[in-house]
Amino acid sequence: MSDYLPAELIVEILIRVPAKIVPRCKCVCKRWNSLISNPHFATTYLAHSKQRPYHLFRRLDQETGEELFTLHPSDNPDNPFPRNYHLKNLNRSDPALHINLLRLAQEVKDKGGFFGCSSDYIKLHCPYKTRYYQYFHQIVGSVNGLICMVDSYSIDDNYYLWNPSINRSMQLPRPKYHDQSRSNSFFGFGYHAPTDDYKLVRLVYLNNCNSPVVDIYTLNTGGWCSAKAQPSAQYIIDSFGSVVVNGAIHWLAHTPEDAHHNLIVSFDLGNEGNEVVFHEVPVPKILEGAPPLSMMNIAVLNGLLTLHGGQPEKYVDRGGRDDRLVKEHAVWVMKEYNVVKSWTKLYVIDVGENFVRVVGFKKNGELLITMDDDKDKGLLLYAPNSRRGRPYTDLYISGLSRSFYLDNYVESLVLWKKNTEK
Amino acid sequence: MASSSTSVVVSNKEKENKNTKKVTLKSSDGESFEVDESVAMESQTIKHIIEDGCANNEIPLPNVTSGILSRVIEYCKKHKEAAGESEPSVTSYTSNSTTNPLTEWDTEFVKVDQNTLFDLILAANYLDIKGLLDLTCKTVADMMKGKTPQEIRETFHIKNDYTPEEEAEVRKENQWAFE
C-alpha cells in the first residue's frame, strides 16, 4: 500500500484512524512514522476530527461514588440522549401500543435507563479520582480534545489535563500560594492559536479585594505566572463556570455595590506579563440593574454567547429580607458579539418552580435540564415552545443531579508528545 | 393521492429525461461511458472541465481504468439520486440514529478487494469526489482497528523497513498506546 499511494492519500487515511491507534501506526514503517511525526499532521488530524464531533457527558453514580465519563457521537442533531431512544424497535401498528409503552418505560428504568439499554456511547476511563469519596471534579472546559479539571476539595487544589481520545493525562504543578483563607477561585481554560498554546486561567479574590490576582498556566512552558488586573477591574463573579468565545474567557459578573451593574467580563487568552487586562461585554439591558444574576449561567450556543437561567425580579423589600425572586427562566443569545442590542430572548423555560438548571443544549433545539423535587428525576429533556401536554421527558439517566456535565468534544493528538503520565 | 396527480408527476419526469444533458467519459483503456451531466458533475474535476467549456462531449480520464470508472459512476449515480429524493429527516420512533440513508449501500459498495479499494481512493482523489474519498479512506482506516503494527503490515502488504533496534525504540516511545 505504501508504494501504491502517494503521501497525501496515506495522510487522508491516517487522519481517519481513531486517535488512540495513531501512535501504533508509527511502528508500521518508516514512511508512516515520518508522515505522522510531521508537525502538520496533528493539525490536519484535528481539522478533520472537528467535522466528526462528540458530546462529553459526566455523571456521578450515587451508589458507587464513581465519576463516569462517556463520549456520545454528535452526527445526529437528536444526540445525545435522543428522545424515546428506547422506542426504536417499537412496532407502531401494535394495537396494545399504549400499554406496551408503559411496560417498556418500566423495563428501561429497571435495566438502568439510557446507560443500561443503549449502546450509542463510548465509556471513558478517567485517570484521576477526587480526594473525597462522592465528590466530583470541576470541569473547567474542554478544547481540541483536551479536558481541564480541578479537584478543589482540600486546602490545595489539584489541576489536571486529560485527553481521553489518546488516553494521555498530566497533573499540573501548583501555582504560587496566595493567602486565600477566605477567598474564591474562578477558572477558565482555552486555546491560544497564535502561540499554539493551551492556558488555564485562575482568578483569585483575596480578602476584601474586588480586583483579582490572575494566575495563568501555559502548557508550552509547563508553568504558572501571576499577574495583577488593571485597578478598574473590580468585579464580583456570579457564574460558576466560564466559556471561551473569540479567543477570550468570559464570566458573568457584577460590579461592587455603589456602581452596581451586571455584565460579562472577558479575559483575552493572549494576555501575558505582569499586568493583564479585562474587558467588559454588556448583558441584555433589561438584566443590567440589580440584583446580581446569580441564578443565571453563561454558555455558548452555535458560537454565540448565551445567558440562561433564572432572571431575577427586582429587589422586593420584605422588611429587610432579601428575597431571590425569580421572574422567569429564560435563554438569551447575543447574536452579534459585544452588541448589546443584539441580545435576543430565544424562549422561556416553562417547567414550574422546581427548575434548577440547564445542563446542555442539543443541536435539535431541545434542552437537557434538571429539576429539584422529592423524587430525584435525574436528567430531563425539555422541548421549548412545545405544545405537548407535559413539556419535559424523563431520559432515565440517573446520578447526582449536580454532577451532570455536558460539553462538545473532538478527538485529537494533543498531549501525545508531552512528558505525561499514562 | 389522486391518480391524476400521479400521472402529472410521471410525465414531468419523462420531460426531464428528454432534456438531460449527457456527457461521455473515456477510461484509460479506451472504453466510453455515457452519463447524465449532473451525475458526472459529482466529480469536481469533471465539473470544472465542463464549466470551462473544454468538454467537447467526450472527457478523457487517462488515470482511471474502465473497471474503476464504472464503479465510480455507479457511486455518483446512486448518491445523486438520493440527494434528489431526500426529505428533511423526521425523528420517528423507528428511525435509526444515523441520518445517512445510504449507509448500508455504501457499506456494500466498498466490499471489494484491496487493490480495487486503493484504486477507488486514487480515482476519488483524482476526480475530486469528496464523499467517495471519505468513504474509501474511512474503510481503510477502519481496517486498522484492533490490529498490532505487524498485523497492519500483513493486511496491507507493507514492508517493515525498521531494524530490530529501531523498531524497539519506536515501540518503547509509544508503549502506552499498546496497553
Side-chain angles (χ1 to χ4, degrees):
Chain A
M1 182 231 269
S2 261
D3 311 322
Y4 206 62
L5 296 176
E8 63 186 68
L9 290 181
I10 306 232
V11 169
E12 284 285 346
I13 293 167
L14 291 176
I15 60 176
R16 288 167 167 85
V17 168
K20 63 179 192 278
I21 297 185
V22 173
R24 229 179 271 184
C25 292
K26 276 190 112 184
C27 304
V28 169
C29 66
K30 288 184 181 176
R31 191 169 184 223
W32 285 24
N33 188 352
S34 122
L35 288 173
I36 294 171
S37 302
N38 185 315
H40 287 305
F41 182 79
T43 315
T44 314
Y45 190 92
L46 182 61
H48 181 260
S49 73
K50 280 183 176 169
Q51 296 168 32
R52 301 276 188 280
Y54 289 86
H55 282 108
L56 173 74
F57 183 67
R58 189 273 310 272
R59 70 199 194 280
L60 184 85
D61 183 330
Q62 282 159 289
E63 277 166 44
T64 63
E66 250 190 293
E67 220 181 329
L68 303 168
F69 291 84
T70 44
L71 276 185
H72 304 251
S74 211
D75 48 354
N76 189 326
D78 207 12
N79 282 353
F81 314 132
R83 177 186 289 278
N84 299 322
Y85 57 85
H86 54 293
L87 299 175
K88 257 202 302 206
N89 302 314
L90 200 67
N91 177 7
R92 292 201 78 186
S93 56
D94 181 356
L97 186 67
H98 291 295
I99 301 172
N100 282 336
L101 278 173
L102 288 172
R103 183 180 53 79
L104 252 174
Q106 190 55 51
E107 260 179 45
V108 166
K109 265 162 88 169
D110 294 340
K111 275 198 224 158
F114 178 87
F115 290 104
C117 298
S118 170
S119 56
D120 210 7
Y121 64 93
I122 303 165
K123 252 196 215 167
L124 300 178
H125 298 281
C126 181
Y128 302 109
K129 288 198 171 3
T130 51
R131 286 167 287 178
Y132 289 99
Y133 179 68
Q134 293 269 0
Y135 280 69
F136 49 91
H137 289 94
Q138 178 185 350
I139 300 174
V140 180
S142 141
V143 63
N144 294 349
L146 204 53
I147 302 170
C148 179
M149 309 193 301
V150 180
D151 174 350
S152 50
Y153 298 109
S154 197
I155 304 171
D156 290 322
D157 295 344
N158 278 350
Y159 307 98
Y160 308 108
L161 291 178
W162 175 38
N163 181 344
S165 58
I166 52 171
N167 223 4
R168 299 291 270 166
S169 56
M170 60 190 279
Q171 178 166 356
L172 309 190
R174 291 213 177 94
K176 188 174 92 178
Y177 182 75
H178 307 289
D179 183 15
Q180 30 180 135
S181 30
R182 290 185 69 79
S183 69
N184 290 321
S185 299
F186 299 92
F187 300 95
F189 178 68
Y191 173 68
H192 183 57
T195 52
D196 190 25
D197 204 358
Y198 294 86
K199 301 189 183 187
L200 170 60
V201 174
R202 178 175 87 156
L203 307 182
V204 180
Y205 285 88
L206 305 180
N207 292 333
N208 299 321
C209 192
N210 287 324
S211 186
V213 170
V214 182
D215 296 320
I216 306 172
Y217 172 86
T218 57
L219 188 59
N220 286 351
T221 63
W224 292 86
C225 61
S226 264
K228 280 217 67 81
Q230 80 263 36
S232 61
Q234 308 253 328
Y235 308 115
I236 297 163
I237 308 276
D238 289 313
S239 58
F240 177 66
S242 61
V243 293
V244 177
V245 162
N246 292 348
I249 302 170
H250 294 73
W251 292 270
L252 188 55
H254 65 270
T255 51
E257 303 313 312
D258 299 347
H260 182 287
H261 67 273
N262 295 317
L263 73 158
I264 291 170
V265 153
S266 88
F267 181 84
D268 195 300
L269 285 161
N271 264 308
E272 47 180 25
N274 296 326
E275 279 159 21
V276 293
V277 176
F278 285 89
H279 289 108
E280 300 183 0
V281 175
V283 295
K285 269 249 169 300
I286 201 174
L287 298 178
E288 224 186 34
L293 299 173
S294 45
M295 305 280 273
M296 298 196 90
N297 215 334
I298 197 167
V300 180
L301 200 52
N302 300 325
L304 303 175
L305 261 183
T306 302
L307 268 185
H308 60 91
Q311 284 178 211
E313 196 73 75
K314 294 291 179 207
Y315 274 129
V316 172
D317 188 353
R318 293 183 180 207
R321 242 180 66 204
D322 164 11
D323 253 335
R324 250 187 221 172
L325 286 180
V326 171
K327 177 166 174 270
E328 62 186 5
H329 301 286
V331 175
W332 293 80
V333 145
M334 189 181 222
K335 294 198 166 166
E336 253 187 272
Y337 184 74
N338 214 7
V339 175
V340 66
K341 285 207 179 112
S342 74
W343 275 110
T344 310
K345 190 195 289 194
L346 288 187
Y347 44 75
V348 167
I349 299 173
D350 191 13
V351 291
E353 294 180 342
N354 292 327
F355 172 78
V356 173
R357 66 181 176 113
V358 174
V359 171
F361 297 87
K362 284 167 60 166
K363 287 199 178 69
N364 68 358
E366 291 175 323
L367 301 181
L368 296 167
I369 65 172
T370 59
M371 310 251 296
D372 182 22
D373 57 18
D374 305 337
K375 341 169 210 159
D376 189 9
K377 287 198 182 74
L379 195 64
L380 304 169
L381 189 62
Y382 175 76
N385 305 320
S386 154
R387 275 179 242 129
R388 303 165 82 96
R390 196 184 54 166
Y392 57 81
T393 316
D394 200 336
L395 288 169
Y396 307 116
I397 291 169
S398 57
L400 185 64
S401 291
R402 286 183 295 117
S403 74
F404 292 142
Y405 174 90
L406 184 76
D407 198 2
N408 297 318
Y409 184 80
V410 290
E411 282 204 302
S412 81
L413 303 171
V414 180
L415 263 204
W416 180 359
K417 300 200 171 111
K418 275 276 161 198
N419 211 3
T420 66
E421 301 138 23
K422 180 187 155 173
Chain B
M1 279 183 276
S3 55
S4 55
S5 58
T6 319
S7 57
V8 165
V9 168
V10 166
S11 65
N12 274 345
K13 250 201 156 165
E14 281 177 350
K15 280 187 195 158
E16 260 180 56
N17 282 336
K18 287 196 181 121
N19 289 338
T20 338
K21 274 179 86 177
K22 305 268 185 196
V23 70
T24 307
L25 306 175
K26 195 155 174 206
S27 67
S28 60
D29 45 337
E31 210 177 305
S32 292
F33 296 83
E34 201 193 40
V35 290
D36 288 351
E37 191 180 89
S38 59
V39 167
M41 303 230 286
E42 288 281 291
S43 150
Q44 294 298 304
T45 308
I46 294 176
K47 183 167 183 275
H48 291 320
I49 293 174
I50 293 174
E51 285 171 348
D52 289 346
C54 306
N56 287 337
N57 284 337
E58 190 170 272
I59 300 175
L61 301 171
N63 289 358
V64 192
T65 62
S66 54
I68 298 298
L69 186 54
S70 66
R71 283 184 202 269
V72 171
I73 290 169
E74 202 191 324
Y75 176 90
C76 294
K77 262 195 192 143
K78 188 73 183 180
H79 279 252
K80 187 77 199 161
E81 254 171 46
E85 282 170 9
S86 67
E87 298 161 9
S89 62
V90 175
T91 312
S92 71
Y93 286 135
T94 50
S95 67
N96 277 329
S97 50
T98 52
T99 44
N100 180 4
L102 286 179
T103 309
E104 271 182 52
W105 190 90
D106 281 349
T107 308
E108 287 305 309
F109 180 80
V110 287
K111 283 187 182 163
V112 292
D113 65 85
Q114 238 183 69
N115 284 333
T116 306
L117 190 55
F118 292 137
D119 283 335
L120 283 170
I121 292 179
L122 286 164
N125 185 47
Y126 169 64
L127 293 170
D128 196 358
I129 305 170
K130 191 168 181 299
L132 183 58
L133 185 66
D134 193 36
L135 173 65
T136 47
C137 287
K138 185 84 177 76
T139 304
V140 176
D142 285 348
M143 286 162 77
M144 297 195 218
K145 285 185 189 167
K147 292 195 165 79
T148 63
Q150 179 55 26
E151 286 166 345
I152 295 175
R153 284 183 211 122
E154 282 166 11
T155 306
F156 299 116
H157 314 292
I158 298 172
K159 186 164 178 285
N160 180 3
D161 55 353
Y162 282 120
T163 66
E165 297 81 31
E166 285 169 337
E167 191 178 346
E169 183 67 43
V170 183
R171 225 198 129 94
K172 200 174 92 172
E173 271 170 24
N174 296 293
Q175 188 51 45
W176 49 272
F178 292 89
E179 284 148 18

